[in-house]
Amino acid sequence: MNEKNDITVDNDLTPKSYWLDSTSETNYPTLDKDINVDIVIIGGGITGITAALLLKKEGFKVALIEAEKIAQGTSGHTTAYITSQHDIIYSELIKNMGIKKAKQYADANEGAINFIENTVKEYNIDCDFCRLPAYIYTTDENYMEIIKEETKAAKSLGIKANYVKKLELPFSIKAAICFENQAQFHPRKYLLKLAEIIYGSDSQIYEHTRAVDIKHDKLYTVITDTGFKVTASKVILASHFPFYDGLGLYFARLRPERSYVITAKIKEELPKGTFVDAGDTGWYFRMQKYRDSQMIIIGGQDHKTAHGGDMMEHYENLKKCAEQNFTVEKFLYRWSTQDYITIDGVPYVGNLTSKSENIYVATGYGEWGMTNGTAAANILRDIIIKKENPYQEVYNPSRHILTEGIKNFIKENYDVAVELIKGKLNDGQHNIDLNVDEGKIVELRGERYGAYRDKNGELHIVDITCTHIGCELKWNSAERSWDCPCHGSRFTFEGDIIEGPAVRKLNHYKEGKNIIDSKII
């Protein structure tokens, strides 16, 4: 098993995912030659890994390539709810899409729970999987009617849902919905075992291999940053945000959103279940096995990427929320994650465009990637083997978008335009007098740069323009990163890509010396 026994926790809560800290690091090779396969999958999260397993079982020769390390991105920073309960969604889906498509969505996610459980049993995976109820509750009486409507909507779709007036929590509630027989697990333990099964017998996994372009003649050729190519008859884009758009306008149809997580040991024993607050606080929590005891995982504080002000405040708000509602003995971990949300709330899974026959996409899971990502892999497998999938219609990336979605489309693209203009006009600070561990935008002889002084006192300066479509980046103090307010690309203070659609890193001037000497002075 990939479990580590020497878990360490920083006293200052340096950002670190528990899922990563409690499992061993992977060490798959980097692509070092041109290869030919049947199917190339770009992205090593839950969708890419699950799809690779399914397609290998169908007899295809598969190559999965990952820009960093597998199961280390969003799948390694999730709160790992395995549930069809995706906040208040079913009443909205019925209203906006009709009961047929709403039921497809519900059934797809219920089916994903069963798929994960069956896979755990088939391969005997020790990943803390357990069945439990999932609750969405409110402490605000203004949400009571919404809770009732959502319960009614869920029941109408065949979900085992019940209206609840009381929960055995350390605080009182006004109302809740209980979805029966949902689940949770340790995502890395699950995914790393699947990767072991994929690797070998003509199917491969490559890490530190970033796809930067796709060329299409009779076959598809994926060009990577290693200088080598993967040629295949079919391509799956499972890289969180599709780096290759193919005129699908995904950059205009997805909103990047960040959320935050803290974990702690608490004195209370909570009822078995996962919990989501339907109110304005928007926080959620569940228990997780930790060493020989338990810890609570608390998430929330969602905001559009690079639009959330001082990012450290979001962690502090979660800590305050924890202390107000539980008896906290010790905070253990903190981390953040990024999700992409579609303009109508349902992921895009299927052919990249209506005209692209053998290139596929899976993106836009919101905060519900464990089930949506699993459902996506099954949908893509069925499309590829020409098998009808009962959920393909609701997830179709080329589906008709109704009025509410069009409003969101307009708003998102207006926001992008505003950020493009604002970024070019805003003045930076006219000096680089930085404290240790401080970052800011500076102006040097009329040009804007991002500057950060690391914990050793060394100065790092980067170009501040995102390499995707040119939005100006913002400093993220909590993660020490430069984040794009348009489409969510994120870069380290040394200019390397963390995530997002960007495929080129930022120019980095080490210690600021080169830029100051050659460009400014």
Side-chain angles (χ1 to χ4, degrees):
M1 201 57 230
N2 296 284
E3 187 168 4
K4 291 198 307 186
N5 296 317
D6 57 339
I7 299 173
T8 58
V9 180
D10 293 350
N11 291 329
D12 63 353
L13 288 187
T14 298
K16 181 186 295 182
S17 162
Y18 168 71
W19 315 123
L20 293 173
D21 198 38
S22 57
T23 49
S24 299
E25 196 169 323
T26 55
N27 190 33
Y28 290 101
T30 299
L31 185 67
D32 60 358
K33 61 182 179 181
D34 293 345
I35 62 171
N36 292 275
V37 293
D38 299 318
I39 303 170
V40 57
I41 300 171
I42 301 167
I46 191 163
T47 302
I49 291 173
T50 306
L53 176 69
L54 291 172
L55 291 165
K56 179 178 179 177
K57 289 172 73 172
E58 293 290 340
F60 292 102
K61 181 180 178 182
V62 176
L64 186 153
I65 64 174
E66 164 57 43
E68 298 296 334
K69 285 180 174 287
I70 62 167
Q72 187 170 287
T74 301
S75 293
H77 290 80
T78 175
T79 47
Y81 286 38
I82 309 173
T83 176
S84 60
Q85 186 190 79
H86 298 171
D87 212 328
I88 302 294
I89 186 172
Y90 292 110
S91 53
E92 291 298 314
L93 286 180
I94 290 172
K95 180 173 67 176
N96 294 327
M97 290 187 166
I99 196 162
K100 177 185 174 184
K101 290 183 180 178
K103 183 166 176 54
Q104 288 178 8
Y105 184 84
D107 289 349
N109 284 278
E110 283 284 309
I113 303 171
N114 295 332
F115 176 90
I116 292 172
E117 181 177 40
N118 292 337
T119 303
V120 168
K121 291 177 178 177
E122 180 180 356
Y123 297 109
N124 194 27
I125 305 174
D126 179 12
C127 62
D128 306 334
F129 179 91
C130 64
R131 289 278 190 170
L132 38 62
Y135 298 94
I136 181 165
Y137 69 89
T138 183
T139 58
D140 184 347
E141 62 183 16
N142 293 319
Y143 280 83
M144 292 176 67
E145 194 59 37
I146 294 173
I147 292 285
K148 287 181 180 178
E149 289 180 9
E150 184 69 3
T151 306
K152 181 180 177 182
K155 283 185 172 182
S156 74
L157 301 174
I159 295 171
K160 293 181 179 179
N162 300 300
Y163 183 77
V164 178
K165 294 182 178 179
K166 184 179 179 181
L167 291 173
E168 296 300 322
L169 294 170
F171 51 87
S172 60
I173 68 163
K174 297 293 184 181
I177 310 168
C178 172
F179 276 34
E180 298 177 13
N181 212 27
Q182 307 295 290
Q184 65 181 36
F185 70 165
H186 188 306
R188 285 265 299 180
K189 290 180 181 179
Y190 174 76
L191 292 173
L192 296 188
K193 180 61 177 178
L194 298 192
E196 291 176 9
I197 299 163
I198 295 163
Y199 191 70
S201 300
D202 290 332
S203 289
Q204 301 295 324
I205 295 173
Y206 296 99
E207 295 183 324
H208 297 297
T209 303
R210 183 180 297 277
V212 297
D213 199 6
I214 297 176
K215 303 295 184 184
H216 182 219
D217 189 7
K218 291 181 180 179
L219 299 174
Y220 288 95
T221 301
V222 176
I223 300 167
T224 74
D225 63 351
T226 68
F228 298 101
K229 305 178 183 69
V230 183
T231 301
S233 60
K234 301 179 189 299
V235 179
I236 293 176
L237 302 173
S239 54
H240 200 37
F241 187 110
F243 83 97
Y244 177 82
D245 191 80
L247 300 180
L249 299 179
Y250 287 90
F251 64 88
R253 298 196 285 150
L254 291 164
R255 179 177 84 252
E257 188 161 290
R258 294 202 68 72
S259 57
Y260 300 81
V261 179
I262 61 169
T263 79
K265 294 195 74 171
I266 62 174
K267 289 188 177 180
E268 292 85 358
E269 286 193 18
L270 301 185
K272 191 176 181 181
T274 63
F275 303 88
V276 176
D277 184 356
D280 294 335
T281 58
W283 69 309
Y284 40 92
F285 56 92
R286 75 170 181 89
M287 300 303 292
Q288 167 63 34
K289 179 183 174 183
Y290 171 70
R291 294 180 177 173
D292 57 354
S293 61
Q294 295 273 315
M295 68 178 179
I296 191 170
I297 298 175
I298 303 173
Q301 291 288 301
D302 305 359
H303 64 82
K304 188 175 180 181
T305 301
H307 289 254
D310 183 355
M311 305 305 169
M312 282 303 297
E313 288 185 9
H314 300 294
Y315 287 117
E316 291 303 318
N317 289 339
L318 283 180
K319 290 173 75 173
K320 288 176 184 175
C321 191
E323 290 169 334
Q324 288 169 359
N325 291 283
F326 309 106
T327 307
V328 175
E329 294 180 329
K330 183 181 181 181
F331 288 107
L332 298 171
Y333 292 88
R334 71 171 171 93
W335 69 84
S336 68
T337 190
Q338 185 154 301
D339 291 287
Y340 284 89
I341 300 172
T342 68
I343 56 179
D344 62 4
V346 174
Y348 304 130
V349 181
N351 294 84
L352 184 67
T353 70
S354 58
K355 297 181 179 179
S356 56
E357 185 178 355
N358 290 312
I359 184 167
Y360 312 93
V361 69
T363 186
Y365 302 149
E367 296 182 341
W368 309 104
M370 296 299 97
T371 50
N372 270 318
T374 300
N378 280 273
I379 291 168
L380 293 175
R381 184 271 314 274
D382 288 351
I383 293 174
I384 287 171
I385 66 172
K386 308 301 182 184
K387 176 183 176 182
E388 185 176 347
N389 185 284
Y391 318 128
Q392 186 175 340
E393 183 183 9
V394 69
Y395 285 94
N396 186 351
S398 301
R399 63 183 176 265
H400 176 65
I401 303 298
L402 298 177
T403 304
E404 193 61 35
I406 292 171
K407 288 180 183 177
N408 291 333
F409 177 87
I410 293 169
K411 180 182 183 301
E412 288 306 315
N413 286 281
Y414 174 78
D415 287 348
V416 169
V418 167
E419 289 298 332
L420 276 166
I421 296 169
K422 276 172 56 182
K424 301 300 181 185
L425 296 180
N426 284 350
D427 288 333
Q429 300 185 48
H430 292 265
N431 65 76
I432 49 175
D433 182 18
L434 294 171
N435 296 321
V436 169
D437 198 27
E438 181 185 8
K440 64 182 178 182
I441 296 173
V442 299
E443 185 173 314
L444 303 174
R445 293 288 176 90
E447 294 189 38
R448 290 158 51 83
Y449 297 90
Y452 170 71
R453 191 175 298 282
D454 67 25
K455 292 184 177 181
N456 297 319
E458 293 185 355
L459 183 65
H460 300 264
I461 292 180
V462 296
D463 289 338
I464 203 66
T465 301
C466 180
T467 59
H468 179 220
I469 65 167
C471 291
E472 298 296 280
L473 305 174
K474 296 182 180 181
W475 177 244
N476 178 340
S477 60
E479 318 300 332
R480 300 180 182 89
S481 62
W482 292 101
D483 298 355
C484 178
C486 293
H487 303 116
S489 292
R490 299 178 60 238
F491 304 83
T492 68
F493 59 78
E494 294 178 313
D496 293 325
I497 299 167
I498 299 173
E499 62 186 317
V503 295
R504 289 183 294 111
K505 65 182 184 179
L506 305 174
N507 288 330
H508 173 235
Y509 308 95
K510 192 170 183 181
E511 300 182 13
K513 185 178 188 312
N514 294 341
I515 189 170
I516 293 172
D517 289 351
S518 66
K519 287 194 173 185
I520 306 302
I521 297 176

